[in-house]
mmCIF file of all heavy atoms in Angstrom:
data_model
loop_
_atom_site.group_PDB
_atom_site.id
_atom_site.type_symbol
_atom_site.label_atom_id
_atom_site.label_comp_id
_atom_site.label_asym_id
_atom_site.label_seq_id
_atom_site.Cartn_x
_atom_site.Cartn_y
_atom_site.Cartn_z
ATOM 1 N N MET A 1340 6.901 1.126 -12.182
ATOM 2 C CA MET A 1340 6.269 0.613 -13.426
ATOM 3 C C MET A 1340 7.010 -0.751 -13.816
ATOM 4 O O MET A 1340 8.203 -0.836 -13.797
ATOM 5 C CB MET A 1340 6.395 1.466 -14.620
ATOM 6 C CG MET A 1340 5.462 2.663 -14.650
ATOM 7 S SD MET A 1340 5.307 3.391 -16.238
ATOM 8 C CE MET A 1340 6.950 3.785 -16.459
ATOM 9 N N ILE A 1341 6.198 -1.788 -14.108
ATOM 10 C CA ILE A 1341 6.782 -3.059 -14.431
ATOM 11 C C ILE A 1341 6.226 -3.463 -15.751
ATOM 12 O O ILE A 1341 5.052 -3.365 -16.136
ATOM 13 C CB ILE A 1341 6.163 -4.073 -13.348
ATOM 14 C CG1 ILE A 1341 6.604 -3.536 -12.013
ATOM 15 C CG2 ILE A 1341 6.778 -5.443 -13.621
ATOM 16 C CD1 ILE A 1341 7.806 -4.212 -11.339
ATOM 17 N N CYS A 1342 7.114 -3.991 -16.549
ATOM 18 C CA CYS A 1342 6.612 -4.558 -17.914
ATOM 19 C C CYS A 1342 5.736 -5.750 -17.595
ATOM 20 O O CYS A 1342 5.967 -6.657 -16.855
ATOM 21 C CB CYS A 1342 7.927 -5.104 -18.718
ATOM 22 S SG CYS A 1342 7.447 -6.020 -20.101
ATOM 23 N N VAL A 1343 4.515 -5.663 -18.298
ATOM 24 C CA VAL A 1343 3.498 -6.767 -17.976
ATOM 25 C C VAL A 1343 3.995 -8.069 -18.595
ATOM 26 O O VAL A 1343 3.416 -9.131 -18.281
ATOM 27 C CB VAL A 1343 2.154 -6.300 -18.528
ATOM 28 C CG1 VAL A 1343 1.590 -5.133 -17.773
ATOM 29 C CG2 VAL A 1343 2.119 -6.179 -20.045
ATOM 30 N N SER A 1344 4.956 -8.176 -19.535
ATOM 31 C CA SER A 1344 5.317 -9.318 -20.217
ATOM 32 C C SER A 1344 6.423 -10.038 -19.397
ATOM 33 O O SER A 1344 6.406 -11.169 -19.190
ATOM 34 C CB SER A 1344 5.677 -9.086 -21.587
ATOM 35 O OG SER A 1344 4.529 -8.708 -22.455
ATOM 36 N N CYS A 1345 7.529 -9.371 -19.183
ATOM 37 C CA CYS A 1345 8.682 -9.883 -18.553
ATOM 38 C C CYS A 1345 8.864 -9.502 -17.054
ATOM 39 O O CYS A 1345 9.817 -9.919 -16.383
ATOM 40 C CB CYS A 1345 9.966 -9.501 -19.430
ATOM 41 S SG CYS A 1345 10.390 -7.850 -19.388
ATOM 42 N N HIS A 1346 8.025 -8.557 -16.581
ATOM 43 C CA HIS A 1346 8.059 -8.102 -15.206
ATOM 44 C C HIS A 1346 9.331 -7.384 -14.803
ATOM 45 O O HIS A 1346 9.739 -7.355 -13.781
ATOM 46 C CB HIS A 1346 7.763 -9.223 -14.215
ATOM 47 C CG HIS A 1346 6.522 -10.028 -14.601
ATOM 48 N ND1 HIS A 1346 5.333 -9.407 -14.461
ATOM 49 C CD2 HIS A 1346 6.329 -11.327 -15.071
ATOM 50 C CE1 HIS A 1346 4.363 -10.348 -14.841
ATOM 51 N NE2 HIS A 1346 4.976 -11.417 -15.248
ATOM 52 N N LYS A 1347 10.015 -6.857 -15.877
ATOM 53 C CA LYS A 1347 11.206 -6.071 -15.567
ATOM 54 C C LYS A 1347 10.738 -4.686 -15.104
ATOM 55 O O LYS A 1347 9.796 -4.050 -15.496
ATOM 56 C CB LYS A 1347 12.009 -5.826 -16.883
ATOM 57 C CG LYS A 1347 13.348 -5.109 -16.690
ATOM 58 C CD LYS A 1347 14.173 -5.405 -17.863
ATOM 59 C CE LYS A 1347 13.709 -4.618 -19.112
ATOM 60 N NZ LYS A 1347 14.623 -4.774 -20.284
ATOM 61 N N ASN A 1348 11.510 -4.182 -14.166
ATOM 62 C CA ASN A 1348 11.182 -2.888 -13.642
ATOM 63 C C ASN A 1348 11.635 -1.815 -14.557
ATOM 64 O O ASN A 1348 12.848 -1.806 -15.060
ATOM 65 C CB ASN A 1348 11.902 -2.554 -12.260
ATOM 66 C CG ASN A 1348 11.422 -1.343 -11.596
ATOM 67 O OD1 ASN A 1348 11.285 -0.284 -12.174
ATOM 68 N ND2 ASN A 1348 11.126 -1.485 -10.289
ATOM 69 N N LEU A 1349 10.788 -0.901 -15.089
ATOM 70 C CA LEU A 1349 11.124 0.104 -16.111
ATOM 71 C C LEU A 1349 11.515 1.354 -15.571
ATOM 72 O O LEU A 1349 11.601 2.355 -16.400
ATOM 73 C CB LEU A 1349 9.885 0.061 -17.087
ATOM 74 C CG LEU A 1349 9.440 -1.161 -17.719
ATOM 75 C CD1 LEU A 1349 8.172 -1.006 -18.590
ATOM 76 C CD2 LEU A 1349 10.565 -1.803 -18.538
ATOM 77 N N LEU A 1350 11.716 1.637 -14.403
ATOM 78 C CA LEU A 1350 11.987 2.889 -13.852
ATOM 79 C C LEU A 1350 13.278 3.424 -14.477
ATOM 80 O O LEU A 1350 13.372 4.680 -14.659
ATOM 81 C CB LEU A 1350 12.135 2.875 -12.329
ATOM 82 C CG LEU A 1350 10.850 2.809 -11.614
ATOM 83 C CD1 LEU A 1350 11.190 2.760 -10.072
ATOM 84 C CD2 LEU A 1350 10.020 4.074 -11.867
ATOM 85 N N SER A 1351 14.282 2.521 -14.814
ATOM 86 C CA SER A 1351 15.470 3.022 -15.370
ATOM 87 C C SER A 1351 15.455 2.945 -16.900
ATOM 88 O O SER A 1351 16.522 3.263 -17.543
ATOM 89 C CB SER A 1351 16.599 2.270 -14.758
ATOM 90 O OG SER A 1351 16.477 0.939 -15.002
ATOM 91 N N GLU A 1352 14.385 2.536 -17.381
ATOM 92 C CA GLU A 1352 14.361 2.285 -18.888
ATOM 93 C C GLU A 1352 13.643 3.520 -19.555
ATOM 94 O O GLU A 1352 12.715 4.144 -18.999
ATOM 95 C CB GLU A 1352 13.462 1.047 -19.277
ATOM 96 C CG GLU A 1352 13.929 -0.212 -18.735
ATOM 97 C CD GLU A 1352 14.923 -0.874 -19.650
ATOM 98 O OE1 GLU A 1352 14.771 -0.630 -20.889
ATOM 99 O OE2 GLU A 1352 15.800 -1.539 -19.181
ATOM 100 N N ASP A 1353 14.101 3.876 -20.782
ATOM 101 C CA ASP A 1353 13.365 4.954 -21.473
ATOM 102 C C ASP A 1353 12.753 4.380 -22.756
ATOM 103 O O ASP A 1353 12.116 5.046 -23.493
ATOM 104 C CB ASP A 1353 14.266 6.157 -21.756
ATOM 105 C CG ASP A 1353 15.627 5.678 -22.434
ATOM 106 O OD1 ASP A 1353 15.720 4.691 -23.123
ATOM 107 O OD2 ASP A 1353 16.503 6.393 -22.253
ATOM 108 N N ASP A 1354 12.975 3.143 -23.024
ATOM 109 C CA ASP A 1354 12.311 2.482 -24.119
ATOM 110 C C ASP A 1354 11.162 1.649 -23.752
ATOM 111 O O ASP A 1354 11.396 0.390 -23.431
ATOM 112 C CB ASP A 1354 13.378 1.753 -24.968
ATOM 113 C CG ASP A 1354 12.664 1.107 -26.189
ATOM 114 O OD1 ASP A 1354 11.715 1.552 -26.655
ATOM 115 O OD2 ASP A 1354 13.316 0.078 -26.769
ATOM 116 N N PHE A 1355 10.005 2.175 -23.629
ATOM 117 C CA PHE A 1355 8.797 1.404 -23.332
ATOM 118 C C PHE A 1355 7.611 2.100 -23.788
ATOM 119 O O PHE A 1355 7.659 3.322 -24.233
ATOM 120 C CB PHE A 1355 8.770 1.116 -21.733
ATOM 121 C CG PHE A 1355 8.585 2.392 -20.954
ATOM 122 C CD1 PHE A 1355 7.356 2.955 -20.867
ATOM 123 C CD2 PHE A 1355 9.674 3.079 -20.484
ATOM 124 C CE1 PHE A 1355 7.161 4.159 -19.942
ATOM 125 C CE2 PHE A 1355 9.550 4.204 -19.736
ATOM 126 C CZ PHE A 1355 8.375 4.817 -19.596
ATOM 127 N N THR A 1356 6.515 1.265 -23.791
ATOM 128 C CA THR A 1356 5.273 1.909 -24.343
ATOM 129 C C THR A 1356 4.132 1.653 -23.294
ATOM 130 O O THR A 1356 4.187 0.673 -22.629
ATOM 131 C CB THR A 1356 4.799 1.308 -25.607
ATOM 132 O OG1 THR A 1356 4.782 -0.050 -25.570
ATOM 133 C CG2 THR A 1356 5.685 1.730 -26.831
ATOM 134 N N ARG A 1357 3.283 2.651 -23.149
ATOM 135 C CA ARG A 1357 2.056 2.594 -22.273
ATOM 136 C C ARG A 1357 0.894 2.680 -23.082
ATOM 137 O O ARG A 1357 0.752 3.597 -23.939
ATOM 138 C CB ARG A 1357 2.138 3.618 -21.194
ATOM 139 C CG ARG A 1357 3.373 3.734 -20.523
ATOM 140 C CD ARG A 1357 3.412 5.098 -19.781
ATOM 141 N NE ARG A 1357 2.612 5.152 -18.630
ATOM 142 C CZ ARG A 1357 2.720 5.815 -17.526
ATOM 143 N NH1 ARG A 1357 3.612 6.755 -17.463
ATOM 144 N NH2 ARG A 1357 1.782 5.770 -16.557
ATOM 145 N N PHE A 1358 -0.086 1.908 -22.818
ATOM 146 C CA PHE A 1358 -1.370 2.081 -23.566
ATOM 147 C C PHE A 1358 -2.441 1.397 -22.748
ATOM 148 O O PHE A 1358 -2.300 0.686 -21.831
ATOM 149 C CB PHE A 1358 -1.251 1.386 -24.881
ATOM 150 C CG PHE A 1358 -0.888 -0.037 -24.973
ATOM 151 C CD1 PHE A 1358 -1.920 -0.971 -24.980
ATOM 152 C CD2 PHE A 1358 0.431 -0.422 -24.969
ATOM 153 C CE1 PHE A 1358 -1.576 -2.388 -25.056
ATOM 154 C CE2 PHE A 1358 0.843 -1.716 -25.002
ATOM 155 C CZ PHE A 1358 -0.153 -2.698 -24.937
ATOM 156 N N SER A 1359 -3.737 1.867 -22.971
ATOM 157 C CA SER A 1359 -4.791 1.272 -22.255
ATOM 158 C C SER A 1359 -5.123 -0.099 -22.859
ATOM 159 O O SER A 1359 -5.026 -0.340 -24.059
ATOM 160 C CB SER A 1359 -6.029 2.189 -22.390
ATOM 161 O OG SER A 1359 -5.712 3.459 -22.012
ATOM 162 N N CYS A 1360 -5.658 -0.988 -21.976
ATOM 163 C CA CYS A 1360 -6.040 -2.368 -22.411
ATOM 164 C C CYS A 1360 -7.092 -2.116 -23.586
ATOM 165 O O CYS A 1360 -8.110 -1.468 -23.484
ATOM 166 C CB CYS A 1360 -6.604 -2.982 -21.296
ATOM 167 S SG CYS A 1360 -7.490 -4.565 -21.796
ATOM 168 N N PRO A 1361 -6.851 -2.782 -24.741
ATOM 169 C CA PRO A 1361 -7.809 -2.621 -25.766
ATOM 170 C C PRO A 1361 -9.169 -3.323 -25.529
ATOM 171 O O PRO A 1361 -10.127 -3.055 -26.275
ATOM 172 C CB PRO A 1361 -7.137 -3.404 -27.049
ATOM 173 C CG PRO A 1361 -6.069 -4.125 -26.384
ATOM 174 C CD PRO A 1361 -5.737 -3.615 -25.060
ATOM 175 N N SER A 1362 -9.236 -4.052 -24.513
ATOM 176 C CA SER A 1362 -10.513 -4.758 -24.255
ATOM 177 C C SER A 1362 -11.347 -3.912 -23.223
ATOM 178 O O SER A 1362 -12.432 -3.627 -23.505
ATOM 179 C CB SER A 1362 -10.168 -6.143 -23.624
ATOM 180 O OG SER A 1362 -11.359 -6.848 -23.369
ATOM 181 N N CYS A 1363 -10.752 -3.659 -22.103
ATOM 182 C CA CYS A 1363 -11.519 -2.980 -21.029
ATOM 183 C C CYS A 1363 -11.240 -1.490 -21.021
ATOM 184 O O CYS A 1363 -11.959 -0.637 -20.388
ATOM 185 C CB CYS A 1363 -11.362 -3.622 -19.707
ATOM 186 S SG CYS A 1363 -9.685 -3.424 -18.998
ATOM 187 N N SER A 1364 -10.173 -1.082 -21.629
ATOM 188 C CA SER A 1364 -9.766 0.400 -21.651
ATOM 189 C C SER A 1364 -9.446 0.968 -20.256
ATOM 190 O O SER A 1364 -9.279 2.190 -20.179
ATOM 191 C CB SER A 1364 -10.819 1.216 -22.350
ATOM 192 O OG SER A 1364 -10.971 0.772 -23.634
ATOM 193 N N GLU A 1365 -9.423 0.185 -19.239
ATOM 194 C CA GLU A 1365 -9.325 0.754 -17.908
ATOM 195 C C GLU A 1365 -7.920 0.398 -17.263
ATOM 196 O O GLU A 1365 -7.589 1.088 -16.399
ATOM 197 C CB GLU A 1365 -10.403 0.228 -16.976
ATOM 198 C CG GLU A 1365 -11.739 0.831 -17.480
ATOM 199 C CD GLU A 1365 -12.913 0.422 -16.404
ATOM 200 O OE1 GLU A 1365 -12.528 0.100 -15.300
ATOM 201 O OE2 GLU A 1365 -14.012 0.226 -16.913
ATOM 202 N N GLN A 1366 -7.388 -0.664 -17.751
ATOM 203 C CA GLN A 1366 -6.081 -1.007 -17.184
ATOM 204 C C GLN A 1366 -4.976 -0.533 -18.140
ATOM 205 O O GLN A 1366 -5.021 -0.635 -19.315
ATOM 206 C CB GLN A 1366 -5.983 -2.537 -17.071
ATOM 207 C CG GLN A 1366 -4.749 -2.961 -16.473
ATOM 208 C CD GLN A 1366 -4.617 -2.629 -15.044
ATOM 209 O OE1 GLN A 1366 -5.508 -2.690 -14.253
ATOM 210 N NE2 GLN A 1366 -3.413 -2.234 -14.621
ATOM 211 N N GLU A 1367 -3.976 0.076 -17.483
ATOM 212 C CA GLU A 1367 -2.880 0.682 -18.294
ATOM 213 C C GLU A 1367 -1.884 -0.605 -18.465
ATOM 214 O O GLU A 1367 -1.522 -1.174 -17.488
ATOM 215 C CB GLU A 1367 -2.093 1.768 -17.586
ATOM 216 C CG GLU A 1367 -1.012 2.242 -18.394
ATOM 217 C CD GLU A 1367 -0.496 3.621 -17.734
ATOM 218 O OE1 GLU A 1367 0.045 3.567 -16.669
ATOM 219 O OE2 GLU A 1367 -0.742 4.676 -18.412
ATOM 220 N N ILE A 1368 -1.389 -0.727 -19.690
ATOM 221 C CA ILE A 1368 -0.460 -1.886 -20.046
ATOM 222 C C ILE A 1368 0.862 -1.117 -20.312
ATOM 223 O O ILE A 1368 0.882 -0.190 -21.043
ATOM 224 C CB ILE A 1368 -0.949 -2.599 -21.279
ATOM 225 C CG1 ILE A 1368 -2.460 -2.987 -21.219
ATOM 226 C CG2 ILE A 1368 0.002 -3.816 -21.514
ATOM 227 C CD1 ILE A 1368 -2.778 -4.315 -20.542
ATOM 228 N N VAL A 1369 1.898 -1.741 -19.636
ATOM 229 C CA VAL A 1369 3.229 -1.091 -19.907
ATOM 230 C C VAL A 1369 4.106 -2.246 -20.307
ATOM 231 O O VAL A 1369 4.198 -3.294 -19.802
ATOM 232 C CB VAL A 1369 3.820 -0.568 -18.519
ATOM 233 C CG1 VAL A 1369 5.190 0.134 -18.784
ATOM 234 C CG2 VAL A 1369 2.768 0.485 -17.987
ATOM 235 N N ARG A 1370 4.795 -2.013 -21.501
ATOM 236 C CA ARG A 1370 5.770 -3.002 -22.021
ATOM 237 C C ARG A 1370 7.053 -2.429 -22.309
ATOM 238 O O ARG A 1370 7.122 -1.284 -22.770
ATOM 239 C CB ARG A 1370 5.142 -3.578 -23.275
ATOM 240 C CG ARG A 1370 3.973 -4.454 -23.207
ATOM 241 C CD ARG A 1370 3.476 -4.755 -24.528
ATOM 242 N NE ARG A 1370 3.915 -5.928 -24.985
ATOM 243 C CZ ARG A 1370 3.864 -6.449 -26.286
ATOM 244 N NH1 ARG A 1370 3.386 -5.585 -27.230
ATOM 245 N NH2 ARG A 1370 4.152 -7.563 -26.642
ATOM 246 N N CYS A 1371 8.050 -3.265 -22.081
ATOM 247 C CA CYS A 1371 9.428 -2.692 -22.434
ATOM 248 C C CYS A 1371 9.612 -2.768 -23.971
ATOM 249 O O CYS A 1371 8.931 -3.545 -24.623
ATOM 250 C CB CYS A 1371 10.509 -3.456 -21.621
ATOM 251 S SG CYS A 1371 10.753 -5.126 -22.115
ATOM 252 N N GLY A 1372 10.684 -2.189 -24.371
ATOM 253 C CA GLY A 1372 11.085 -2.157 -25.838
ATOM 254 C C GLY A 1372 11.266 -3.518 -26.308
ATOM 255 O O GLY A 1372 10.854 -3.883 -27.497
ATOM 256 N N SER A 1373 12.029 -4.401 -25.672
ATOM 257 C CA SER A 1373 12.337 -5.692 -26.123
ATOM 258 C C SER A 1373 11.090 -6.584 -26.124
ATOM 259 O O SER A 1373 11.074 -7.372 -27.234
ATOM 260 C CB SER A 1373 13.470 -6.330 -25.266
ATOM 261 O OG SER A 1373 12.975 -6.506 -24.008
ATOM 262 N N CYS A 1374 10.201 -6.494 -25.316
ATOM 263 C CA CYS A 1374 8.948 -7.247 -25.383
ATOM 264 C C CYS A 1374 8.138 -6.845 -26.595
ATOM 265 O O CYS A 1374 7.485 -7.554 -27.162
ATOM 266 C CB CYS A 1374 8.191 -7.157 -24.052
ATOM 267 S SG CYS A 1374 8.939 -8.155 -22.783
ATOM 268 N N ARG A 1375 8.113 -5.604 -26.911
ATOM 269 C CA ARG A 1375 7.408 -5.046 -28.034
ATOM 270 C C ARG A 1375 7.889 -5.542 -29.223
ATOM 271 O O ARG A 1375 7.137 -6.063 -30.145
ATOM 272 C CB ARG A 1375 7.392 -3.444 -28.002
ATOM 273 C CG ARG A 1375 6.333 -2.918 -28.948
ATOM 274 C CD ARG A 1375 6.467 -1.384 -28.963
ATOM 275 N NE ARG A 1375 7.672 -0.939 -29.490
ATOM 276 C CZ ARG A 1375 8.598 -0.091 -28.894
ATOM 277 N NH1 ARG A 1375 8.339 0.274 -27.726
ATOM 278 N NH2 ARG A 1375 9.604 0.254 -29.378
ATOM 279 N N ILE A 1376 9.279 -5.574 -29.293
ATOM 280 C CA ILE A 1376 9.881 -6.146 -30.624
ATOM 281 C C ILE A 1376 9.688 -7.538 -30.728
ATOM 282 O O ILE A 1376 9.452 -8.064 -31.888
ATOM 283 C CB ILE A 1376 11.406 -5.769 -30.594
ATOM 284 C CG1 ILE A 1376 11.503 -4.197 -30.731
ATOM 285 C CG2 ILE A 1376 12.174 -6.446 -31.667
ATOM 286 C CD1 ILE A 1376 12.957 -3.739 -30.304
ATOM 287 N N LYS A 1377 9.781 -8.332 -29.666
ATOM 288 C CA LYS A 1377 9.579 -9.797 -29.842
ATOM 289 C C LYS A 1377 8.121 -10.169 -29.911
ATOM 290 O O LYS A 1377 7.880 -11.198 -30.219
ATOM 291 C CB LYS A 1377 10.199 -10.479 -28.551
ATOM 292 C CG LYS A 1377 11.650 -10.448 -28.391
ATOM 293 C CD LYS A 1377 12.217 -11.168 -27.296
ATOM 294 C CE LYS A 1377 12.039 -10.474 -26.029
ATOM 295 N NZ LYS A 1377 12.703 -11.100 -24.788
ATOM 296 N N GLY A 1378 7.255 -9.213 -29.605
ATOM 297 C CA GLY A 1378 5.855 -9.601 -29.640
ATOM 298 C C GLY A 1378 5.343 -10.488 -28.584
ATOM 299 O O GLY A 1378 4.466 -11.313 -28.730
ATOM 300 N N THR A 1379 6.037 -10.367 -27.386
ATOM 301 C CA THR A 1379 5.621 -11.106 -26.318
ATOM 302 C C THR A 1379 4.235 -10.895 -25.850
ATOM 303 O O THR A 1379 3.718 -9.793 -25.913
ATOM 304 C CB THR A 1379 6.584 -10.818 -25.079
ATOM 305 O OG1 THR A 1379 7.884 -10.826 -25.482
ATOM 306 C CG2 THR A 1379 6.469 -11.875 -23.947
ATOM 307 N N LEU A 1380 3.469 -11.927 -25.527
ATOM 308 C CA LEU A 1380 2.090 -11.679 -25.060
ATOM 309 C C LEU A 1380 2.080 -10.940 -23.692
ATOM 310 O O LEU A 1380 2.865 -11.084 -22.890
ATOM 311 C CB LEU A 1380 1.510 -13.084 -24.695
ATOM 312 C CG LEU A 1380 1.002 -13.998 -25.884
ATOM 313 C CD1 LEU A 1380 0.477 -15.226 -25.283
ATOM 314 C CD2 LEU A 1380 -0.059 -13.201 -26.607
ATOM 315 N N TYR A 1381 1.040 -10.062 -23.705
ATOM 316 C CA TYR A 1381 0.748 -9.392 -22.415
ATOM 317 C C TYR A 1381 -0.585 -9.785 -22.028
ATOM 318 O O TYR A 1381 -1.468 -10.279 -22.849
ATOM 319 C CB TYR A 1381 0.873 -7.847 -22.573
ATOM 320 C CG TYR A 1381 -0.136 -7.368 -23.657
ATOM 321 C CD1 TYR A 1381 -1.487 -6.927 -23.280
ATOM 322 C CD2 TYR A 1381 0.216 -7.143 -24.977
ATOM 323 C CE1 TYR A 1381 -2.361 -6.470 -24.224
ATOM 324 C CE2 TYR A 1381 -0.650 -6.565 -25.857
ATOM 325 C CZ TYR A 1381 -1.943 -6.229 -25.434
ATOM 326 O OH TYR A 1381 -2.755 -5.783 -26.390
ATOM 327 N N SER A 1382 -0.893 -9.578 -20.756
ATOM 328 C CA SER A 1382 -2.265 -9.847 -20.311
ATOM 329 C C SER A 1382 -2.716 -8.740 -19.441
ATOM 330 O O SER A 1382 -1.934 -8.193 -18.557
ATOM 331 C CB SER A 1382 -2.256 -11.236 -19.575
ATOM 332 O OG SER A 1382 -1.473 -11.249 -18.475
ATOM 333 N N CYS A 1383 -3.922 -8.399 -19.444
ATOM 334 C CA CYS A 1383 -4.442 -7.365 -18.545
ATOM 335 C C CYS A 1383 -4.870 -8.007 -17.314
ATOM 336 O O CYS A 1383 -5.559 -8.989 -17.144
ATOM 337 C CB CYS A 1383 -5.686 -6.830 -19.283
ATOM 338 S SG CYS A 1383 -6.719 -5.695 -18.267
ATOM 339 N N SER A 1384 -4.448 -7.291 -16.227
ATOM 340 C CA SER A 1384 -4.700 -7.814 -14.928
ATOM 341 C C SER A 1384 -6.129 -7.575 -14.429
ATOM 342 O O SER A 1384 -6.647 -8.160 -13.515
ATOM 343 C CB SER A 1384 -3.757 -7.238 -13.893
ATOM 344 O OG SER A 1384 -3.908 -5.857 -13.937
ATOM 345 N N ARG A 1385 -6.956 -6.734 -15.204
ATOM 346 C CA ARG A 1385 -8.200 -6.434 -14.889
ATOM 347 C C ARG A 1385 -9.267 -7.420 -15.561
ATOM 348 O O ARG A 1385 -10.115 -7.885 -14.876
ATOM 349 C CB ARG A 1385 -8.517 -5.033 -15.274
ATOM 350 C CG ARG A 1385 -9.765 -4.467 -14.775
ATOM 351 C CD ARG A 1385 -9.939 -3.015 -15.130
ATOM 352 N NE ARG A 1385 -11.151 -2.458 -14.635
ATOM 353 C CZ ARG A 1385 -11.116 -1.606 -13.577
ATOM 354 N NH1 ARG A 1385 -10.129 -1.408 -12.871
ATOM 355 N NH2 ARG A 1385 -12.273 -1.205 -13.070
ATOM 356 N N CYS A 1386 -9.121 -7.502 -16.875
ATOM 357 C CA CYS A 1386 -10.127 -8.323 -17.537
ATOM 358 C C CYS A 1386 -9.516 -9.599 -18.176
ATOM 359 O O CYS A 1386 -10.252 -10.399 -18.752
ATOM 360 C CB CYS A 1386 -10.709 -7.513 -18.728
ATOM 361 S SG CYS A 1386 -9.629 -7.221 -20.109
ATOM 362 N N GLU A 1387 -8.270 -9.858 -17.952
ATOM 363 C CA GLU A 1387 -7.425 -11.060 -18.399
ATOM 364 C C GLU A 1387 -7.549 -11.165 -19.882
ATOM 365 O O GLU A 1387 -7.191 -12.253 -20.431
ATOM 366 C CB GLU A 1387 -8.171 -12.290 -17.723
ATOM 367 C CG GLU A 1387 -8.027 -12.315 -16.203
ATOM 368 C CD GLU A 1387 -8.516 -13.446 -15.532
ATOM 369 O OE1 GLU A 1387 -9.148 -14.273 -16.168
ATOM 370 O OE2 GLU A 1387 -8.300 -13.513 -14.268
ATOM 371 N N PHE A 1388 -7.703 -10.169 -20.579
ATOM 372 C CA PHE A 1388 -7.438 -10.115 -22.064
ATOM 373 C C PHE A 1388 -5.985 -10.401 -22.293
ATOM 374 O O PHE A 1388 -5.125 -9.816 -21.593
ATOM 375 C CB PHE A 1388 -7.844 -8.709 -22.535
ATOM 376 C CG PHE A 1388 -7.475 -8.546 -23.996
ATOM 377 C CD1 PHE A 1388 -8.277 -8.951 -25.016
ATOM 378 C CD2 PHE A 1388 -6.247 -7.756 -24.321
ATOM 379 C CE1 PHE A 1388 -7.926 -8.670 -26.294
ATOM 380 C CE2 PHE A 1388 -5.975 -7.480 -25.639
ATOM 381 C CZ PHE A 1388 -6.746 -8.090 -26.667
ATOM 382 N N GLU A 1389 -5.741 -11.109 -23.337
ATOM 383 C CA GLU A 1389 -4.207 -11.319 -23.758
ATOM 384 C C GLU A 1389 -4.161 -10.913 -25.214
ATOM 385 O O GLU A 1389 -4.915 -11.234 -26.042
ATOM 386 C CB GLU A 1389 -3.990 -12.811 -23.570
ATOM 387 C CG GLU A 1389 -3.737 -13.363 -22.225
ATOM 388 C CD GLU A 1389 -3.096 -14.647 -22.065
ATOM 389 O OE1 GLU A 1389 -3.037 -15.392 -23.078
ATOM 390 O OE2 GLU A 1389 -2.648 -14.882 -20.973
ATOM 391 N N GLY A 1390 -2.976 -10.324 -25.425
ATOM 392 C CA GLY A 1390 -2.775 -9.843 -26.719
ATOM 393 C C GLY A 1390 -1.255 -9.828 -27.076
ATOM 394 O O GLY A 1390 -0.456 -9.910 -26.137
ATOM 395 N N PRO A 1391 -0.929 -9.710 -28.262
ATOM 396 C CA PRO A 1391 0.448 -9.724 -28.708
ATOM 397 C C PRO A 1391 1.113 -8.326 -28.600
ATOM 398 O O PRO A 1391 0.421 -7.396 -28.721
ATOM 399 C CB PRO A 1391 0.433 -10.182 -30.167
ATOM 400 C CG PRO A 1391 -0.915 -9.874 -30.572
ATOM 401 C CD PRO A 1391 -1.750 -9.786 -29.442
HETATM 402 ZN ZN1 LIG B 2504 9.381 -6.713 -21.045
HETATM 403 ZN ZN1 LIG B 2505 -8.461 -5.194 -19.698
#
């Protein structure tokens, strides 16, 4: 698993969130805790939706 915002490998992390893309609902978005707190933009690789 890779954080979609900073591309950090999250295998050794326990602070991250996973959710479906709010636009297409088909792509799983994974973000690390620090990107969530900073509100870093993520983008869906499937529909190219971008969100905070
Ligand atoms: Zn991150
Ligand atoms: Zn999407």
